[in-house]
Amino acid sequence: MGSISLARVFTRALYGMEAPLVTVEVCLASGLPAFTVVGMPQAGVREARDRVRSAIQASEFTFPRGSKITVNLAPADLPKHGARYDLAIAIGILAADGQLSESAVVSREFYGELTLNGELRGVEGMLPALLACRREAREAVIPLDNLAEAQVIREQQCVVGESLRDVVEHLSGPHKLPLVKGETTDHHVYPSGDLADVIGQEQAKRALVLAAMGGHHLLFVGPPGTGKTMLAQRLLGLLPPLTDEEGLEVAAVRSVANFQHRLERPQSWLQRQLRAPHHSCSAAALVGGGSPPQPGEISLAHKSLLFLDELPEFSRHVLDSLREPLESGQVSISRAGYQAKFPARFQLICALNPSPCGQFDGTLTSARASPDQISRYLSKLSGPLLDRIDMQVAVPRQPEVLKQQHQQLPAQSPQLRQQVAQVRRSQIQRQGCLNSELKTAELARFCRLEADEHAFLVAAIEKFELSHRAYHRILRLARTIADAANAEAIETSHLAEALGYRALDRLLQQLRSL
């Protein structure tokens, strides 16, 4: 070996939802024996020295003891976190020492954490790295733990190894690792439970179907035990399957979030979810945070549902952190020298009991709490947040339902699911998005009102003292109601029904009048 020997190996960092390329440059030079890692490595990366040394020796390869080893992770201005660089560093050392040829590593990318005995462990954020690697037409070498993530991608060039020895034999010998084949199918598993399980509550069921058709945010208002949670859970079974592109977005977020689902079937990565965080969760848990930033519940609910039960029990600060993501469909998390963006195009489903006493049947006289107590309880819900919720549906107690003998009803969700899919397709064909995603500038074109309908809506807005944002929300919802009726134009009856889903606004107006 000469005085200096160099090798370059490729891998990728994890930066939010991005996977920037990292070049692992290894230099073996004469001098006092040392092992140094540079290039802004964090603590977990610096500890790779001990893991890599032990893994190389345990795999019966030669570790260059009499050399000064310098590992540079370029670019140097990009922070490096975690143990995802272990395999790339080990391969770089073996290549620089001549135990691997440079041609064997130049067209590949390497990922994985090494154990002390040379086995490979999975790392988070593998899916964004694989997608970026596919664009560069390189072969990716990954741990077995990340197999399910790799199988989500239909077309790729990826191999899976269980140990450092497996990878080295794949690079230099006849024992080639098999290529990973995408195993995604068109089969979609719908959640158990049917809308027919909910007895009564016909208006709430109607609102649930409309919310599924237009992607509208929904708030259930009513006392405990009236079916609010059950209704929210049934919404997941009314939504159509994700497209391939949407499924990859959802799977990428879960990959970055370091979920312990690496050994699941690929189909489980491509399903919609109902995320239901407890009301004690922090803003960082809901929106995302940490160092490095990690996605929160709203990003894990991307293209899916976020259910917040007992809404006033959440901190006002936590709830107000939802306002910007509800408008933009993404969340930006900033730290010192670090900024990450995560997708957050979720559908919000909320439930609350307006009275802190737990008893409320639709009128202030039915509650044990005073109007002042109810006002203070609901004050945690800011006006801007409520303006971003399209539908507020009353879910009252229905004593007459209890008097009827329960009987098994035919399933409703499969038929309703077909109607939802049909209405959604018509919206996409007409305007390229769901009605809830229409921009303000597009409302004049797709939600145009005649003079009489416009006068009716303006009068209602003034009567209920609603904001301009609520005006636009009502227009979008009325457009969905018209689509459900297969109507070309929005009629007064559609506006009247949309205005009927303002239960909390009516209650707040009563409280203000006292």
Side-chain angles (χ1 to χ4, degrees):
M1 182 181 69
S3 58
I4 293 180
S5 180
L6 298 173
R8 291 199 313 165
V9 177
F10 298 113
T11 184
R12 292 186 182 273
L14 181 60
Y15 196 90
M17 293 299 298
E18 300 176 0
L21 183 68
V22 172
T23 303
V24 180
E25 301 173 333
V26 180
C27 174
L28 304 185
S30 302
L32 293 176
F35 192 165
T36 307
V37 180
V38 298
M40 202 179 287
Q42 305 302 313
V45 182
R46 291 194 297 269
E47 293 170 355
R49 296 173 298 183
D50 298 318
R51 292 192 297 269
V52 168
R53 180 188 291 109
S54 177
I56 290 177
Q57 294 172 342
S59 301
E60 300 180 354
F61 299 114
T62 302
F63 185 82
R65 292 181 177 276
S67 302
K68 180 181 179 181
I69 305 174
T70 303
V71 177
N72 179 39
L73 305 178
D77 59 347
L78 179 69
K80 318 299 188 307
H81 301 271
R84 62 190 300 111
Y85 308 99
D86 288 5
L87 179 60
I89 293 174
I91 294 298
I93 291 175
L94 295 178
D97 196 39
Q99 300 179 58
L100 283 173
S101 65
E102 184 178 353
S103 61
V105 301
V106 68
S107 61
R108 294 180 168 93
E109 296 182 8
F110 300 87
Y111 306 92
E113 175 186 348
L114 286 172
T115 64
L116 297 182
N117 63 353
E119 294 179 354
L120 280 176
R121 286 178 177 168
V123 296
E124 73 278 6
M126 183 58 66
L127 195 53
L130 291 178
L131 293 173
C133 181
R134 183 179 65 172
R135 290 193 293 269
E136 298 294 334
R138 294 193 183 101
E139 180 184 85
V141 181
I142 67 173
L144 177 63
D145 289 346
N146 294 113
L147 175 61
E149 293 169 79
Q151 290 175 326
V152 170
I153 307 175
R154 293 183 184 273
E155 299 178 1
Q156 59 178 309
Q157 189 76 5
C158 177
V159 297
V160 173
E162 297 186 47
S163 65
L164 176 61
R165 173 162 288 279
D166 288 345
V167 175
V168 173
E169 290 179 351
H170 170 72
L171 299 176
S172 60
H175 303 287
K176 296 295 182 181
L177 295 174
L179 289 173
V180 175
K181 297 181 180 179
E183 295 187 4
T184 56
T185 66
D186 296 330
H187 179 64
H188 182 79
V189 179
Y190 290 99
S192 59
D194 191 89
L195 197 59
D197 300 336
V198 182
I199 308 300
Q201 306 296 355
E202 297 304 323
Q203 185 191 37
K205 291 180 182 179
R206 165 71 171 173
L208 204 67
V209 174
L210 292 175
M213 289 177 172
H216 300 287
H217 305 307
L218 181 61
L219 170 64
F220 289 122
V221 181
T226 54
K228 301 188 298 296
T229 301
M230 182 180 290
L231 283 164
Q233 294 170 343
R234 296 305 182 269
L235 179 56
L236 195 63
L238 299 179
L239 299 177
L242 295 169
T243 64
D244 290 344
E245 182 179 355
E246 292 172 337
L248 281 178
E249 292 179 15
V250 171
V253 175
R254 298 184 65 190
S255 175
V256 171
N258 196 20
F259 266 29
Q260 300 301 316
H261 295 289
R262 297 183 184 130
L263 300 180
E264 287 188 359
R265 297 290 297 171
Q267 291 85 350
S268 64
W269 290 77
L270 304 174
Q271 305 286 330
R272 297 185 191 270
Q273 292 184 325
L274 175 68
R275 305 291 304 177
H278 191 261
H279 58 75
S280 62
C281 76
S282 64
L286 189 65
V287 178
S291 183
Q294 290 285 313
E297 290 290 338
I298 63 173
S299 294
L300 296 173
H302 180 59
K303 299 295 182 181
S304 300
L305 304 178
L306 178 68
F307 178 49
L308 302 182
D309 200 4
E310 301 298 340
L311 193 63
E313 298 296 336
F314 285 81
S315 165
R316 176 162 181 161
H317 166 67
V318 172
L319 293 179
D320 282 345
S321 65
L322 294 175
R323 287 157 54 177
E324 182 181 351
L326 283 171
E327 290 289 337
S328 63
Q330 67 177 12
V331 59
S332 179
I333 302 173
S334 297
R335 296 293 182 267
Y338 201 111
Q339 186 178 45
K341 292 184 178 180
F342 298 104
R345 185 70 65 182
F346 60 95
Q347 188 171 353
L348 179 63
I349 311 297
C350 308
L352 65 83
N353 183 344
S355 175
C357 69
Q359 181 175 339
F360 183 85
D361 288 336
T363 61
L364 295 176
T365 56
S366 64
R368 293 197 302 267
S370 67
D372 287 342
Q373 290 174 320
I374 294 176
S375 296
R376 286 195 299 270
Y377 186 64
L378 296 178
S379 64
K380 293 183 180 181
L381 310 178
S382 64
L385 175 64
L386 293 177
D387 279 348
R388 288 167 169 82
I389 299 177
D390 306 88
M391 311 172 71
Q392 306 164 5
V393 184
V395 188
R397 286 195 177 94
Q398 295 182 332
E400 67 277 4
V401 174
L402 298 177
K403 299 176 182 179
Q404 301 174 4
Q405 185 175 2
H406 292 328
Q407 55 184 347
Q408 185 68 32
L409 299 176
Q412 299 177 5
S413 292
Q415 181 181 359
L416 293 173
R417 192 185 305 132
Q418 295 178 0
Q419 298 175 12
V420 168
Q422 182 179 356
V423 172
R424 282 188 167 221
R425 282 193 298 267
S426 66
Q427 295 173 17
I428 299 297
Q429 293 172 0
R430 181 182 61 223
Q431 62 215 17
C433 65
L434 297 181
N435 290 335
S436 62
E437 300 171 0
L438 281 171
K439 305 297 182 183
T440 303
E442 299 172 329
L443 294 179
R445 178 183 175 187
F446 299 110
C447 302
R448 185 176 181 275
L449 299 179
E450 297 297 335
D452 292 343
E453 283 75 15
H454 181 261
F456 172 80
L457 180 56
V458 170
I461 292 293
E462 293 177 351
K463 178 180 179 181
F464 292 114
E465 301 177 359
L466 302 179
S467 67
H468 289 182
R469 183 181 286 114
Y471 170 85
H472 295 149
R473 295 283 178 182
I474 292 171
L475 270 182
R476 296 185 182 98
L477 178 57
R479 179 67 266 177
T480 299
I481 296 172
D483 292 339
N486 201 22
E488 292 292 333
I490 298 176
E491 302 173 1
T492 303
S493 60
H494 304 146
L495 293 170
E497 182 177 357
L499 287 165
Y501 300 119
R502 310 298 301 181
L504 192 59
D505 286 336
R506 290 193 293 271
L507 174 61
L508 293 175
Q509 189 179 37
Q510 293 179 33
L511 292 172
R512 287 194 296 266
S513 65
L514 295 177

